[in-house]
Amino acid sequence: MSADLAGFLGVVLVAYLVPGPDFLVVVRSAAEHPARGRAAALGAQTGLCVHMLAAATGLSLIAARSPVVYDAIKLLGAAYLVYLGIRAVLAARRAARERRAETAGADGPVGLTAPRTSATDEPSRARWRSGFTQGFLTNVLNPKAALFFLSILPQFVHGGGSTARQVFFLGILDVLIGVVYWFALVAVAARLRAFLARPKIRHRWELTTGWLFIAIGIGVAAA
């Protein structure tokens, strides 16, 4: 078991180090607020738990053998990523218009422009729920996550013991490693909040992450 476990840990670490949609969601959420980033990380790992349970009960095998089911999951995941991207791009453009309006009205009567609300002003419960939902949906609708538990993880399962029990053990290990990795990433990304809070940098950040979401979504749909 030690050799298989070492190999599995190596594969898991490489999988986390290669950026994917969940990476983008967690980093973007953490840049808005550390609590939101942690919520997105926990949501992403909860999504992996769904795939782990499906793999242990054989549902992933059924989905993989049914092109209709697999394509439906893939297209839903792609559509959600495109939705996140479009929302980020629109938010960036809306913020740019507000800044121009504030600049134009700087010499006019006071109080004509409403103050902008930031992620810090968002209620903590709503912030946590929003981050968790984005992380969860990103991974639960990610067909690559399902294929990992269906095709990669079983290679480290012994034939002598209970397959479901081993899938649970390796899957939980994967999820726990991810929690540690994401929380460390959130701590790093949170330090960039002051830098990303600058209006021009914020605008470019929103546009860049938005178009990345759209590009990844299109890539998932076309794969």
Side-chain angles (χ1 to χ4, degrees), residues 51-52 54-56 58-65 70 143-155 167:
H51 290 297
M52 175 182 66
L59 295 178
S60 292
L61 184 61
I62 297 174
R65 289 182 176 178
Y70 179 80
K144 292 183 179 180
L147 288 177
F148 174 84
F149 281 91
L150 182 64
S151 60
I152 304 298
L153 188 146
Q155 297 181 30
V167 168

Side-chain angles (χ1 to χ4, degrees), residues 19-30 32 36 40 76-89 131 134-135 137-139 205-221:
D22 48 1
F23 177 91
L24 197 55
V25 168
V26 172
V27 171
R28 190 171 183 276
S29 299
E32 294 181 5
R36 186 186 180 97
L76 282 174
Y80 184 68
L81 292 176
V82 171
Y83 161 75
L84 291 179
I86 291 175
R87 199 170 73 167
V89 171
Q134 286 191 13
L137 290 178
T138 298
N139 261 356
W205 167 256
E206 291 284 353
L207 284 179
T208 301
T209 55
W211 286 114
L212 280 175
F213 273 126
I214 294 172
I216 294 174
I218 293 174
V220 169

Side-chain angles (χ1 to χ4, degrees), residues 3-61:
D4 289 345
L5 185 58
F8 177 75
L9 292 177
V11 170
V12 168
L13 290 176
V14 170
Y16 278 113
L17 291 175
V18 176
D22 48 1
F23 177 91
L24 197 55
V25 168
V26 172
V27 171
R28 190 171 183 276
S29 299
E32 294 181 5
H33 197 282
R36 186 186 180 97
R38 288 189 289 270
L42 293 176
Q45 297 311 98
T46 303
L48 289 186
C49 289
V50 173
H51 290 297
M52 175 182 66
L53 292 172
T57 57
L59 295 178
S60 292
L61 184 61

Side-chain angles (χ1 to χ4, degrees), residues 92-183:
R93 292 179 177 177
R94 183 170 58 251
R97 287 196 302 268
E98 290 177 357
R99 285 197 302 272
R100 287 195 296 267
E102 290 173 359
T103 302
D107 298 327
V110 179
L112 293 181
T113 56
R116 290 180 57 196
T117 56
S118 64
T120 308
D121 300 325
E122 187 181 10
S124 58
R125 183 175 299 178
R127 183 193 307 134
W128 196 94
R129 183 170 58 249
S130 175
F132 183 89
T133 301
Q134 286 191 13
F136 176 77
L137 290 178
T138 298
N139 261 356
V140 82
L141 295 176
N142 185 358
K144 292 183 179 180
L147 288 177
F148 174 84
F149 281 91
L150 182 64
S151 60
I152 304 298
L153 188 146
Q155 297 181 30
F156 302 93
V157 173
H158 289 284
S162 169
T163 300
R165 188 177 303 171
Q166 293 180 66
V167 168
F168 278 126
F169 172 75
L170 295 177
I172 291 173
L173 188 61
D174 180 1
V175 170
L176 292 178
I177 291 173
V179 170
V180 175
Y181 172 74
W182 291 133
F183 274 39

